[in-house]
């Protein structure tokens, strides 16, 4: 019996060594093929201010006499990699404003929160009673000669109360947007008729835009104090850059106008339209090629 055991001992040792080597090899293989966790990807929006359009002069009669205002359409589209999402909240109904945070979309993970990017207010005006994200888009008229001289002073600025953000129209772009939403996502009315809400979420999906027509909700500027001359009408989204974006290079667009008064009435002629520029100059782009 003892001799049999000694005869089997080399075989047992060899088997044990082989098993150990196999286990070590398997461990190495498992370690080698273990998948690495994908890097977290943030999908930022890119707000593109479209060129002011649908320009129209309207006269308003009052006891002080006629007053003339320039109306226009303003539109902003999202051409980025992710949606623009803003979330407003307030502690109680006695607080008149909601504090707004931006939610940054991340691949398969909870959104990153950018705190305090503005305010929301319940706005009441003809045809509109809902929550507006304030100062989303701003408008101004600048004297062309002053711009040429290096001045940024605006002669007339807006009284815009904000935007009820949503997917209002499908954006048309020269390049294909990989993350474009096939259908509108943000289609709500921003708490229409609900002034007691404590929270509100609004946004613009990739490949969609939000617009306001002339004379709607502050879509106009006064002309009465302006003398004859050339003026640049500038529309600027996210002017304070509180919202995080892929790029701020396309946040402004402008139109070069020639204003002439005749017998107390203003007459405007569009000379040039300038996408992605707040300093429109004659010859930059023909008026017919409006963005």
């Amino acid at each position: 019996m003892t001799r049999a055991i000694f005869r089997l001992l080399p075989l047992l040792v060899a088997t044990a060594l082989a098993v150990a080597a196999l286990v070590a090899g398997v461990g190495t293989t498992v370690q080698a093929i273990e998948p690495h966790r994908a890097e977290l990807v943030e999908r930022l929006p890119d707000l593109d201010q479209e060129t002011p359009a649908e320009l129209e002069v309207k006269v308003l009669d009052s006891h002080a006499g006629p007053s003339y205002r320039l109306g226009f359409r303003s539109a902003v589209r999202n051409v980025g990699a992710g949606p623009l999402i803003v979330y407003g909240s307030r502690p109680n109904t006695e607080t008149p404003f909601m504090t707004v945070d931006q939610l940054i979309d991340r691949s398969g993970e909870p959104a990153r929160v950018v705190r305090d990017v503005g305010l929301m207010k319940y706005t009441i005006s003809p045809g509109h009673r809902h929550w507006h994200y304030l100062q989303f888009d701003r408008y101004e008229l600048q004297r062309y000669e002053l711009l040429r001289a290096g001045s940024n002073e605006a002669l007339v600025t807006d009284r815009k109360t904000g935007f009820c953000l949503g997917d209002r129209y499908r954006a048309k772009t020269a390049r294909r947007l990989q993350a474009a939403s096939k259908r509108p996502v943000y289609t709500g009315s921003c708490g229409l008729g609900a002034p007691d809400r404590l929270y509100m979420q609004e946004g613009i999906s990739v490949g969609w835009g939000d617009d306001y027509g002339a004379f709607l909700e502050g879509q106009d500027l006064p002309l009465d104090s302006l003398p004859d001359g050339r003026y640049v009408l500038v529309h600027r989204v996210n002017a304070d850059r509180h919202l995080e974006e892929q790029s701020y290079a396309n946040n402004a667009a402008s139109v070069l106008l020639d204003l002439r008064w005749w017998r107390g009435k203003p007459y405007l002629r569009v000379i040039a339209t300038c996408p992605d520029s707040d300093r429109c100059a004659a010859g930059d782009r023909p008026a017919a090629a409006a963005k």
Side-chain angles (χ1 to χ4, degrees):
M1 177 69 86
T2 305
R3 289 181 180 179
I5 292 175
F6 277 108
R7 287 176 182 175
L8 290 173
L9 188 57
L11 180 59
L12 293 173
V13 172
T15 302
L17 291 174
V19 170
L22 179 61
V23 171
V26 170
T28 302
T29 304
V30 170
Q31 185 176 9
I33 65 174
E34 182 180 4
H36 294 286
R37 183 177 179 179
E39 292 184 5
L40 192 64
V41 177
E42 292 191 343
R43 293 188 277 259
L44 289 171
D46 185 5
L47 302 176
D48 183 18
Q49 174 71 63
E50 298 203 45
T51 308
E54 300 176 9
L55 274 61
E56 178 186 353
V57 176
K58 180 180 290 188
V59 58
L60 304 178
D61 292 320
S62 68
H63 65 277
S67 176
Y68 295 93
R69 303 191 70 90
L70 169 63
F72 40 76
R73 172 185 181 263
S74 184
V76 177
R77 58 187 181 178
N78 182 2
V79 296
L84 169 68
I85 309 172
V86 293
Y87 183 86
S89 62
R90 57 179 177 163
N92 50 59
T93 56
E94 285 71 36
T95 305
F97 297 96
M98 290 186 184
T99 300
V100 178
D101 299 329
Q102 181 184 5
L103 307 182
I104 304 296
D105 185 53
R106 303 195 295 179
S107 55
E109 296 289 337
R112 177 168 66 87
V113 180
V114 183
R115 301 290 182 186
D116 299 331
V117 297
L119 298 172
M120 282 187 188
K121 180 184 178 182
Y122 189 77
T123 302
I124 300 176
S125 64
H128 283 73
R129 292 174 178 263
H130 52 197
W131 290 91
H132 273 196
Y133 177 39
L134 301 182
Q135 298 186 353
F136 175 70
D137 213 12
R138 304 305 303 268
Y139 320 124
E140 60 187 30
L141 274 168
Q142 300 178 348
R143 189 68 184 252
Y144 177 65
E145 290 79 9
L146 296 178
L147 279 179
R148 291 291 300 272
S151 171
N152 291 319
E153 180 182 0
L155 300 180
V156 180
T157 56
D158 66 80
R159 53 180 179 83
K160 179 68 177 171
T161 56
F163 267 48
C164 163
L165 297 178
D167 298 340
R168 312 304 179 194
Y169 68 95
R170 189 183 295 276
K172 297 179 180 179
T173 61
R175 60 187 176 89
R176 183 171 179 268
L177 302 175
Q178 297 292 336
S181 176
K182 294 182 179 179
R183 298 178 180 85
V185 176
Y186 300 97
T187 57
S189 55
C190 304
L192 181 65
D196 293 334
R197 292 201 57 162
L198 298 180
Y199 62 89
M200 175 60 58
Q201 181 167 303
E202 304 176 8
I204 304 177
S205 301
V206 178
W208 294 82
D210 195 355
D211 64 338
Y212 276 70
F215 299 105
L216 177 65
E217 289 283 333
Q219 298 294 133
D220 54 86
L221 291 172
L223 296 175
D224 300 326
S225 61
L226 303 179
D228 288 358
R230 290 188 173 186
Y231 296 88
V232 178
L233 171 63
V234 183
H235 287 190
R236 198 186 315 269
V237 65
N238 193 20
D240 52 21
R241 297 193 178 185
H242 286 172
L243 295 171
E244 290 193 16
E245 302 183 51
Q246 284 183 319
S247 171
Y248 298 105
N250 54 357
N251 282 27
S254 57
V255 176
L256 178 60
L257 306 171
D258 184 69
L259 171 65
R260 303 293 165 181
W261 292 85
W262 176 252
R263 295 183 177 178
K265 295 182 180 180
Y267 293 87
L268 281 173
R269 181 169 61 93
V270 177
I271 300 175
T273 59
C274 304
D276 304 332
S277 172
D278 60 356
R279 293 176 171 269
C280 199
D284 282 3
R285 179 169 295 199
K291 187 175 178 182

